[in-house]
Amino acid sequence: MDLNLDKKVVFIAGSSRGLGYATAAQLAREKAIVIINGRDKEKLDIAAENLTNLTEVKIYPFYGDVTDSEFPEKLLEFIKNKFAKLDILITNAGGPPPGGFESITDNAWQNAFELSFLSHVRLIRTLLPLLRLSKTANVLTITSYSVKQPIPNLILSNSIRAATIGLTKTLALELGHEGIRFNSVLPGWTKTERVNTLMENRAKLNNSSIEEEIIKQSHESPLRRMAEPAEFADIATFLVSPRASYLTGTMLSIDGGMVKGIF
Ligand SMILES: NC(=O)c1ccc[n+]([C@@H]2O[C@H](COP(=O)([O-])OP(=O)(O)OC[C@H]3O[C@@H](n4cnc5c(N)ncnc54)[C@H](OP(=O)(O)O)[C@@H]3O)[C@@H](O)[C@H]2O)c1
């Protein structure tokens, strides 16, 4: 199936590695014009170079921290001057730190709000004028299956990402009449650096090894394994493509059946 992504301009926040990186690779293979992002400039430039070599499509790095309130305006200027339009916006960042209720300070709650909620709000609000120039405009927020089934020891993610889901659904309702689609993908356990760090944290807590923790976690999913980032990327790529044109307001779990509820 041709996904009709040829020459579509895409910005993916938080994409120098992990889920964002894998999605950038898949979109570039579909001949989209992809801008990737991360806070570490050196790593971002290397990621762009690697992706360019891998896909034989030029990848554009745009360095910056999505929690910086001035970042979206700088990005808007860059995209406007270079491409004059934006077809697809994927909002994403690293996840908030683990921890239980009593260990989380006000400061940590504020930081998580900035990272996992306000960064999505600011990027969408600032880039909307550019999205409005596209006939196939859509926004995909990357959240977590934790909005459907809270994950132990991740109270920040469990709580704050629910607001991002509320945001995504509300925008789908408010802006659908303009033809702009808003969806969210809710990843389950996928083998990325973030998951490695979380497993390391659990291994320390449980006096076990990372490998043991990965096996334990995998056994909670019906498929008994974690996902590869490319498995996430394939679905995200379809969702943002014009072939998913009647899909909006959808919160799609890509979790190997991890969420046990029916809906
Ligand atoms: N992987 C999973 O199993 C899983 C499951 C559920 C939910 N999620 C969520 O999905 C999202 C992506 O996960 P991942 O596993 O791909 O994470 P990851 O491996 O930690 O990658 C995060 C990416 O975002 C960038 N980043 C982090 N903070 C940023 C910021 N403030 N501004 C700009 N870029 C930033 C990182 O680069 P720099 O560090 O250089 O900035 C990196 O490129 C996270 O929110 C995560 O919590 C993941």
Side-chain angles (χ1 to χ4, degrees), residues 10-128:
V10 188
F11 172 74
I12 312 179
S15 45
S16 58
R17 59 174 190 268
L19 304 179
Y21 181 91
T23 307
Q26 197 49 34
L27 284 161
R29 285 189 193 102
E30 295 293 328
K31 305 286 177 256
I33 297 167
V34 182
I35 308 155
I36 61 166
N37 157 257
R39 294 162 302 177
D40 184 322
K41 187 170 181 336
E42 204 176 315
K43 285 188 180 158
L44 180 70
D45 288 341
I46 293 171
E49 206 179 305
N50 288 343
L51 280 172
T52 301
N53 292 336
L54 187 75
T55 62
E56 297 177 351
V57 174
K58 183 170 169 45
I59 302 288
Y60 297 86
F62 191 83
Y63 147 83
D65 186 333
V66 295
T67 63
D68 171 2
S69 61
E70 291 173 10
F71 173 78
E73 282 295 338
K74 290 181 194 159
L75 176 66
L76 174 74
E77 283 312 301
F78 170 76
I79 300 176
K80 206 157 64 175
N81 294 334
K82 190 127 190 109
F83 306 108
K85 65 157 186 172
L86 180 66
D87 299 293
I88 299 163
L89 168 62
I90 303 182
T91 56
N92 177 43
F101 179 59
E102 285 173 291
S103 70
I104 306 290
T105 62
D106 279 7
N107 200 28
W109 280 106
Q110 293 291 359
N111 289 344
F113 174 76
E114 291 272 341
L115 180 71
S116 301
F117 179 67
L118 207 50
S119 70
H120 298 264
V121 172
R122 287 190 183 124
L123 278 171
I124 297 169
R125 190 175 54 209
T126 309
L127 295 171
L128 252 182

Side-chain angles (χ1 to χ4, degrees), residues 178-199:
E178 292 190 38
I180 308 176
R181 301 188 294 115
F182 289 84
N183 295 295
S184 190
V185 268
L186 286 45
W189 294 93
T190 314
K191 291 182 204 157
T192 66
E193 254 181 62
R194 167 155 172 88
V195 165
N196 221 44
T197 309
L198 292 174
M199 292 298 122

Side-chain angles (χ1 to χ4, degrees), residues 201-255:
N201 184 271
R202 285 192 188 174
K204 271 186 207 141
L205 279 176
N206 300 333
N207 201 18
S208 62
S209 68
I210 297 182
E211 292 70 30
E212 282 174 285
E213 292 301 326
I214 289 178
I215 291 170
K216 230 191 294 175
Q217 183 58 63
S218 299
H219 274 77
E220 284 184 31
S221 138
L223 294 182
R224 299 285 191 270
R225 65 175 178 86
M226 290 192 178
E228 296 298 331
E231 294 180 282
F232 170 91
D234 284 347
I235 296 168
T237 299
F238 172 72
L239 277 182
V240 298
S241 80
R243 298 309 289 264
S245 52
Y246 203 57
L247 204 73
T248 194
T250 297
M251 312 299 145
L252 186 69
S253 305
I254 308 176
D255 67 350

